[in-house]
Amino acid sequence: MTKRATIIGGGIVGLASALALARRGFDVTLVDDDAGRQAASWGNAGHIAIEQVEPLASRAAIHSAPGRLFSRGGALAFPPAQWRHWLPFGLRLLRASAPERFAAGKAALAGLVAEAMPAWRRLADSLPGESLLREEGHFVAWSTPEAARAGRAAWAAADTGSAHFRDPTSDEMSALAPIGIAPAGAIRFTGTGQIADLEMLADAMEAALRQAGGRIVSGKARLIAGGSEAGLLIDGDPVADSGLIVMTAGVRSAALLRPLGHRAPIVAERGYHIRAVDHDWPADMPPLVFEDRSMIVTRYAGCVQAASFIEPGDPDAPPDPAKWARLEAHVMALGLPMRPPFTRWMGARPTLPDYLPAIGASRRAGNLLYAFGHQHLGLTLSAVTGEIVAALATNERPAADIAAFDIGRFEKRG
Ligand SMILES: Cc1cc2nc3c(=O)[nH]c(=O)nc-3n(C[C@H](O)[C@H](O)[C@H](O)COP(=O)(O)OP(=O)(O)OC[C@H]3O[C@@H](n4cnc5c(N)ncnc54)[C@H](O)[C@@H]3O)c2cc1C
């Protein structure tokens, strides 16, 4: 008999999970309430960031925080009116940054990140049309020789997993010259990648899901406790046979899991981008990180995007226009070949205080899996997460050890 599965949330993690399940023979319904693809999945920097194997819950990140504040020109912002969201999160982050917890978290995250690119290759190759995965690495650049020296030293000391960096070749430097980057001021990562276009990715994955027999339903889902199994409502109407339920609702997941007694202290780590369709950005330029401005510029098929900011807070609070103004100021100061009018976007990374995702099977409801909290790495980790969800649903061994991602890690501490 065909098994049914209902996926809650159609961001990149939900879509990847839905597709993996449909291809394993599940009768899949994906429920999503995002009109116009405003979710983080469709506004991010497109970077397959396999160099980021160290959780941001670290002593090093905490020590560097004062220098990274928005008020000092950096990317880190704590909106005073949203203190109820970021203060408890920050206190938990401090605890999660203890050296032994950081080391355990890093081992777990590195194991997952190691599987990210192979899983992306499988997913990208399986989608119709030309592959949307580009494996051309990325650049990191600095504005001054001093910043470059310090930045290079920091990367040399960091664990970058299976990604490596080197000096740019003379051809690469020639390509960077029109963007105003001096020879001493850049490094080229290899092993990392990018998604050529997020809109095209969403279209291709939705088409593949439908082709595999899946349905995409627009609506707001809600879970209710119901004995040993979770019940499901869509737009307030009970769903009789939801089958397996997979919670992939990004930053909303924690609130949706609450009726079952699950606790996940998630925060909306808000980020901003501006996009320009009028530009002369080279078509083959991989993502370019202006590290001392905490800004990443990505060439997509139809635009160039500059993104930045870590603003933990309320997902429903209005965006802060000062963030877009700062991005525009960076673009102007650097003389980047992208011109107004810029479109403006803000989206929320779903982040847990230890900067590890929550992936696993619920111990409170036998029909419930969850996959959320992918912080800065949701695009990077989506393909492997989809494979893990499918493995959990079919009682197979997941490709990576997911014990550290159990949601119970928060519940035990109350
Ligand atoms: C500025 C910025 C840059 C980033 N850059 C990168 C990058 O370069 N590389 C990378 O790997 N990651 C990056 N990220 C992080 C990445 O975007 C996120 O980790 C990822 O998008 C999370 O995906 P998700 O599917 O879990 O959540 P989301 O994208 O938030 O999707 C969740 C979906 O669930 C839906 N939903 C919520 N509640 C309900 C409900 N009750 N019923 C039905 N549907 C519901 C939402 O509408 C949404 O469509 C970036 C994020 C930001 C903000």
Side-chain angles (χ1 to χ4, degrees):
M1 204 177 80
T2 308
K3 290 191 210 155
R4 287 186 53 76
T6 306
I7 319 301
I8 301 179
I12 186 64
V13 174
L15 257 179
S17 303
L19 188 52
L21 285 169
R23 286 177 168 169
R24 297 286 191 100
F26 279 77
D27 176 13
V28 169
T29 302
L30 175 73
V31 190
D32 187 61
D33 69 352
D34 182 20
R37 290 187 183 151
Q38 286 303 300
S41 294
W42 316 122
N44 63 58
H47 176 39
I48 305 300
I50 63 162
E51 81 284 7
Q52 293 177 27
V53 300
E54 299 190 342
L56 289 171
S58 70
R59 288 275 158 88
I62 288 165
H63 288 148
S64 68
R68 294 188 291 124
L69 288 172
F70 183 72
S71 54
R72 300 175 73 174
L76 195 52
F78 298 98
Q82 297 173 44
W83 68 270
R84 278 189 186 78
H85 295 262
W86 54 255
L87 185 59
F89 174 84
L91 295 173
R92 289 192 177 95
L93 188 157
L94 282 176
R95 286 200 291 275
S97 307
E100 67 285 2
R101 285 188 65 190
F102 170 73
K106 181 178 154 188
L109 187 61
L112 190 61
V113 170
E115 300 300 326
M117 193 61 95
W120 255 114
R121 285 186 199 121
R122 288 188 286 274
L123 177 56
D125 287 349
S126 77
L127 297 174
E130 200 180 317
S131 175
L132 292 166
L133 174 65
R134 290 200 186 147
E135 294 190 57
E136 285 140 25
H138 70 283
F139 287 102
V140 177
W142 297 274
S143 308
T144 63
E146 301 74 50
R149 260 193 302 280
R152 274 168 173 264
W155 277 114
D159 185 346
T160 57
S162 58
H164 302 282
F165 71 85
R166 56 167 171 76
D167 289 329
T169 63
S170 54
D171 281 355
E172 287 165 354
M173 276 323 304
S174 313
L176 287 171
I179 305 169
I181 292 169
I187 53 175
R188 172 88 186 228
F189 269 88
T190 57
T192 58
Q194 95 160 90
I195 294 302
D197 194 81
L198 296 173
E199 191 78 18
M200 288 162 73
L201 178 70
D203 288 345
M205 288 180 70
E206 287 185 11
L209 176 59
R210 290 195 173 96
Q211 206 194 357
R215 280 174 300 281
I216 301 175
V217 172
S218 177
K220 200 178 253 318
R222 195 152 64 80
L223 292 188
I224 44 173
S228 60
E229 302 228 313
L232 175 67
L233 306 177
I234 298 180
D235 290 335
D237 297 327
V239 177
D241 178 20
S242 53
L244 179 71
I245 298 174
V246 188
M247 180 55 67
T248 56
V251 76
R252 311 288 178 180
S253 302
L256 289 168
L257 288 171
R258 222 159 224 278
L260 302 181
H262 282 302
R263 294 285 180 271
I266 204 161
V267 82
E269 245 194 309
R270 295 146 43 111
Y272 292 71
H273 82 214
I274 56 171
R275 284 181 175 175
V277 290
D278 182 12
H279 66 83
D280 301 312
W281 201 264
D284 55 356
M285 178 70 71
L288 175 46
V289 178
F290 293 89
E291 198 164 66
D292 43 3
R293 292 176 185 265
S294 302
M295 180 172 81
I296 177 167
V297 179
T298 310
R299 168 74 146 90
Y300 286 126
C303 66
V304 174
Q305 170 185 297
S308 184
F309 302 116
I310 296 174
E311 185 184 68
D314 178 355
D316 296 317
D320 173 8
K323 306 293 173 346
W324 291 314
R326 174 76 60 82
L327 281 171
E328 291 176 16
H330 284 323
V331 166
M332 297 306 161
L334 289 161
L336 300 186
M338 51 192 285
R339 292 173 286 276
F342 299 121
T343 56
R344 295 171 154 196
W345 172 92
M346 185 272 288
R349 303 173 189 90
T351 301
L352 293 159
D354 53 9
Y355 281 81
L356 301 178
I359 307 173
S362 167
R363 292 205 189 82
R364 295 172 187 269
N367 61 337
L368 179 65
L369 303 179
Y370 53 85
F372 63 94
H374 289 69
Q375 38 105 0
H376 295 231
L377 295 175
L379 182 70
T380 304
L381 297 175
S382 54
V384 66
T385 299
E387 291 184 0
I388 291 172
V389 165
L392 290 173
T394 50
N395 294 319
E396 287 167 25
R397 203 184 150 150
D401 184 352
I402 57 166
F405 309 139
D406 194 306
I407 199 175
R409 68 191 192 270
F410 301 111
E411 292 161 9
K412 274 180 234 142
R413 292 185 191 93

